[in-house]
Amino acid sequence: MKKTTSTPIPRRIILGAALTAAGLALSGCGGATSPSSGGNVELNFVYWGDSNRAKMTDAAIKIFEEKNPGITVKSEYQDSGPYADKLATRFAGGNPPDVLNMANRTLLEYAQRGTLADLKTLSEINLDKIPATIQSRGEVDGKLYGLATGVNLIGMVVNKTITDQAGVTIPDDKTWSWEDYAKFATEVTQKTGGKIYGAGYDVATETGPILLARQRGEDFYTKDNKLGVSEETIREWFQYSVDLRNAGGYPPAGFFEQIGGSPAQSYLAKGTVASQIIPINNFRGYNEASGGNLVLLRMPGETTEQRRGYSADPSMLWSVAAKSKHPKEAAKLLNFLINDVDGAAETLTQRGVPINPEVTEAIMPKLGADDTKFVQMVADIQKDELAPAYVYPKGASVVADTLKQLATEVEFGRVTPADAAKTFIEKSNAAINK
């Protein structure tokens, strides 16, 4: 990258209070209770998602029950917002689910309150095939409290129909730099007469600066759960979009009503931008919405900066409650979720690429062309020497919100990239060190 010279506090308070109560409630309820009569065990399994995810998950659970007679699974799902509050309430009431989805931003707090099991102590979970880089995302103080439900990465998608019509060559994503991307985007805008902007990515989403920080040799979040990104890197992240906008490669301030939402609602699908950064498990949706001629590329700078910016990033994790009434059976279910080929054949890439490479290889024949492309990209990237990624610290939600707020201020020129970077570091450190 070329060098140039509302905060969700209420939920955090609720979560902290709930987990404090959970610690007290769980400490007073003694050990695990006995399985139900007749040797049958019912596990409570909760996760977030929509009805489509639930349908695929239920099909996998049915296979688990067939392979594990005597264990039945009662599953529940919900949207991510209500899910977080409901989960905190259940832990506070001393009635945690056995196996559950855990968010990156709340794993640390749950783990430090003693409400999650150390997965390394559960012999039913086989970690032999799970890369250390992936395991690091669920480790706190040397213990493993979460395993990624799948691996997902960000990538660049380019509408080849637009670039072909404009006579613009798409750079080689194995070697391109951030400067190359800026030149490409600006050329697209120029050759389409300003009708289509070359770039349309979201400056306010934290995945971008997280990747850039790694490329520059920094850990956005450190192993000891602190903020590790430098003020200079954040300044440069903001400055890059300002420079690209001034050059014409990025839309003017106020152009976007939103970036994100469904692929069908994206500006990429509308044909007003030629490229966008997306979570690559959404490639198929974006490609279908954009006419079927999108090219999926690695992010710029992966071979031109200090190190790779990619890492094994999960969108969510699996955890087992420390006070599960059936820890052995809960561990069997979690092991099934990460290691069983038959189960994965039902869920496919719904939660990202399976974290066991052998499972990923086994489901490849079942995937369509677009999903195969994104899975293959994840597999190829994981062959590289990747930087570790760590558990998000407390206050990470404030960090994300601060980035969004400041990105808007920079977009409209109310704050300079340098001042925005300074404010970002100050507010983020205050939230994390609180």
Side-chain angles (χ1 to χ4, degrees), residues 166 187-196:
E187 186 181 1
V188 170
T189 305
Q190 292 172 344
K191 290 191 173 180
T192 59
K195 295 179 180 179
I196 301 172

Side-chain angles (χ1 to χ4, degrees), residues 52-288:
N52 183 52
R53 175 173 290 170
K55 182 179 179 180
M56 299 174 81
T57 302
D58 285 346
I61 291 303
K62 187 173 295 185
I63 293 173
F64 171 78
E65 291 175 337
E66 291 172 355
K67 292 187 175 186
N68 294 271
I71 304 177
T72 57
V73 180
K74 176 186 176 184
S75 61
E76 305 170 37
Y77 72 97
Q78 202 162 20
D79 289 339
S80 59
Y83 175 89
D85 294 334
K86 184 176 181 180
L87 189 66
T89 300
R90 286 196 56 178
F91 272 91
N95 182 36
D98 298 289
V99 180
L100 59 139
N101 256 167
M102 181 58 58
N104 285 322
R105 292 177 185 148
T106 53
L107 178 74
L108 181 66
E109 193 157 358
Y110 275 88
Q112 290 184 338
R113 300 273 183 173
T115 58
L116 302 179
D118 178 3
L119 304 181
K120 291 180 182 178
T121 67
L122 302 175
S123 60
E124 293 79 14
I125 301 176
N126 184 356
L127 301 173
D128 292 349
K129 302 296 182 181
I130 311 303
T133 309
I134 292 176
Q135 292 188 46
S136 70
R137 287 307 301 265
E139 290 179 347
V140 178
D141 298 329
K143 296 182 179 180
L144 184 64
Y145 293 108
L147 279 169
T149 61
V151 177
N152 197 18
L153 307 168
I154 58 172
M156 189 74 69
V157 285
V158 174
N159 191 324
K160 195 171 184 298
T161 298
I162 292 174
T163 57
D164 284 349
Q165 290 174 350
V168 178
T169 300
I170 299 173
D172 181 356
D173 71 329
K174 300 290 177 58
T175 59
W176 69 340
S177 65
W178 287 97
E179 288 84 357
D180 293 331
Y181 177 56
K183 291 176 183 177
F184 160 79
T186 303
E187 186 181 1
V188 170
T189 305
Q190 292 172 344
K191 290 191 173 180
T192 59
K195 295 179 180 179
I196 301 172
Y197 290 95
Y201 67 92
D202 187 4
V203 180
T205 299
E206 62 190 329
T207 49
I210 286 175
L211 180 135
L212 178 62
R214 290 199 197 109
Q215 288 182 345
R216 293 168 62 91
E218 303 167 358
D219 293 321
F220 193 93
Y221 293 127
T222 64
K223 190 174 183 178
D224 58 353
N225 308 121
K226 300 294 183 182
L227 188 73
V229 65
S230 68
E231 184 176 323
E232 171 64 14
T233 293
I234 296 299
R235 185 201 65 78
E236 190 168 328
W237 174 252
F238 287 134
Q239 188 67 53
Y240 184 81
S241 64
V242 171
D243 292 345
L244 188 55
R245 176 177 286 117
N246 289 339
Y250 192 85
F255 177 88
F256 296 111
E257 295 178 6
Q258 67 175 25
I259 296 180
S262 71
Q265 296 171 326
S266 69
Y267 289 87
L268 196 68
K270 292 177 182 179
T272 52
V273 300
S275 70
Q276 185 173 325
I277 297 172
I278 66 166
I280 65 173
N281 68 320
N282 292 331
F283 175 61
R284 175 166 57 88
Y286 276 98
N287 197 24
E288 291 173 352

Side-chain angles (χ1 to χ4, degrees), residues 284-312:
R284 175 166 57 88
Y286 276 98
N287 197 24
E288 291 173 352
S290 303
N293 200 23
L294 293 187
V295 180
L296 179 62
L297 307 173
R298 297 189 186 203
M299 290 292 289
E302 282 294 283
T303 57
T304 59
E305 299 289 331
Q306 293 181 33
R307 66 174 181 177
R308 294 286 198 265
Y310 279 121
S311 191

